[in-house]
Amino acid sequence: MYTLSNKLRTFSFALIILGFIGVVYGFMSSHKSLDEVKTMLATEAAHHGGGSHEVAQATHEVDPHEGHGNAMSHGEDTHADAAHGETAHAEADAHEHHGDAHAEHVQHQLANRPWSALYVAAFFFMMISLGVLAFYAIQIAAQAGWSPVLFRVMEGITAYLLPGAIIVLLIAVASGTIGHYNLFVWMDPEVVADDKLIQGKSGWLNIGWFAVRGLVFIAGWSTYRYFSRKFSIAQDNADDNSNFKKNFRISAGFLVFFIYSESIMSWDWIMSVDPHWYSTLFGWYVFASMFVSGITVIALIAVYLKSKGYLELVNDSHIHDLAKFMFGISVFWTYLWFSQFMLIWYSNIPEEVTYFITRIEDYNLPFFGMVVLNFLFPLLILMNSDYKRVPWFVVMAGVVILFGHYIDIFNMIMPATVGDRWSVGIPEISSILLFAGLFIFVVFTALTKAPLHAKRNPLMKESEHFHY
């Protein structure tokens, strides 16, 4: 039986506390007055352009009487004088209104940042556990012979799914109820009233139906996880294989539910932050990201437990196979990324291509950097078969892959919520620490609840003697 060490427990609590403090600070510091935002914009304009013209535009200080005064000094006709003054007033009012609208938009983007950072981190760790659940179900449905020695690791990771998914849904709903529509613009009635496109989708995109769908997804995933875990543990002390067969049947059925629910969840929880844009590949694209992230975490935890004297039956061939999946699914993710990007870029339809223009112009480094992290790095590091057997190589590649796929989720959410006002600071780092600590505590606590060796699994002998 695995025992959670005091050091790991303290470490997870420290992450949670530090993360929570940082998240609270992020929310408190994100609320700026309109005057503060105007001053910030004026400073930025002066910094980037320098001249008084840019500062005047940023602060929107236009003298409406300037043209009128000049006309009087030249003794022009009083009727022309009045007309010129009215025009100057109208232009000044329009400029002032535009300036206020821009400042209010930036103010809203700044307020969105802590919500977005929290949501990105919450979704990232939730999707890891969901990806592991899918991988676990595939192993059982396929009756894979190599992986049973890792089943309890997978079951431990999936313990985070229920709390993690509930947190994601709560953040999403809260952003449109107690928040000021900080994530999903379609939750704002004023926006919907002026947007025909969103009005056409309002039968699907409304808070009530959104919450119901989310609860159905979470219930389905959690129900499968509960019964599959129950049958797996019951098999340890059974005299026959009836629990194994039950697990096989529900796993096959779950995979059908999963592929539908994961796709719809991707549309709801991620794609709908850009309600004018859609991609028919999006569900698969998100799946590839969660799948490779989940497999990577299985490998990292397996290496960690083995280094602590657990999982004695896990050998370098099991690590090699996990690394093969990390390599293969990284290539699959790249195929989907390129297919989605290339087809939309080549067709150049304005309603579609604006999604990538925003990311290339405002998120150039993270957008193309994640391709390096998620494709080139795994390709170069894990292509060699011998390297896949070296634990520290697998750990190094795994850390980079996880970082790359966090950036992937970051790129999906941030452009729609904070625009070009993004950065990596206290809100982002604190959110990662908060959910990393929670993830570690939940997963490793779950590992203490059952033996790490699923001894009565019919395929265990094959798994124990697996060599590639």
Side-chain angles (χ1 to χ4, degrees), residues 108 112 174-177 179-185 187-190 207:
H108 189 57
N112 290 348
S175 72
T177 51
H180 189 62
Y181 318 112
N182 301 95
L183 293 174
F184 300 94
V185 68
M187 291 184 178
D188 187 346
E190 294 181 5
I207 294 181

Side-chain angles (χ1 to χ4, degrees), residues 405-454:
H405 285 282
Y406 170 83
I407 298 298
D408 190 13
I409 304 302
F410 185 92
N411 287 332
M412 293 182 200
I413 298 295
M414 290 294 187
T417 57
V418 303
D420 61 355
R421 297 286 154 184
W422 70 275
S423 64
V424 177
I426 291 177
E428 292 76 19
I429 295 172
S430 299
S431 298
I432 294 172
L433 295 179
L434 172 63
F435 289 108
L438 184 62
F439 182 85
I440 291 170
F441 178 74
V442 171
V443 168
F444 282 90
T445 299
L447 290 173
T448 67
K449 304 300 183 182
L452 294 180
H453 181 59

Side-chain angles (χ1 to χ4, degrees), residues 371-428:
V371 180
V372 175
L373 296 173
N374 295 336
F375 173 59
L376 289 181
F377 192 87
L379 184 74
L380 297 175
I381 294 296
L382 296 176
M383 182 179 288
N384 188 296
S385 183
D386 292 335
Y387 290 168
K388 296 187 186 78
R389 299 177 183 275
V390 181
W392 71 268
F393 251 91
V394 175
V395 170
M396 177 178 64
V399 170
V400 172
I401 289 172
L402 290 179
F403 177 64
H405 285 282
Y406 170 83
I407 298 298
D408 190 13
I409 304 302
F410 185 92
N411 287 332
M412 293 182 200
I413 298 295
M414 290 294 187
T417 57
V418 303
D420 61 355
R421 297 286 154 184
W422 70 275
S423 64
V424 177
I426 291 177
E428 292 76 19

Side-chain angles (χ1 to χ4, degrees), residues 91-162:
E91 289 178 353
D93 289 343
H95 196 77
E96 182 71 22
H97 175 74
H98 174 74
D100 287 347
H102 177 62
E104 287 174 3
H105 179 65
V106 172
Q107 183 186 37
H108 189 57
Q109 287 179 324
L110 295 173
N112 290 348
R113 184 182 167 194
W115 283 96
S116 303
L118 194 67
Y119 191 71
V120 168
F123 186 88
F124 175 70
F125 284 98
M126 183 281 297
M127 83 169 189
I128 289 173
S129 60
L130 184 56
V132 172
L133 188 69
F135 186 72
Y136 175 72
I138 289 170
Q139 299 303 304
I140 294 174
Q143 297 190 13
W146 70 276
S147 55
V149 292
L150 296 166
F151 277 1
R152 293 294 155 79
V153 174
M154 301 181 202
E155 291 167 12
I157 297 171
T158 58
Y160 182 78
L161 179 58
L162 179 58

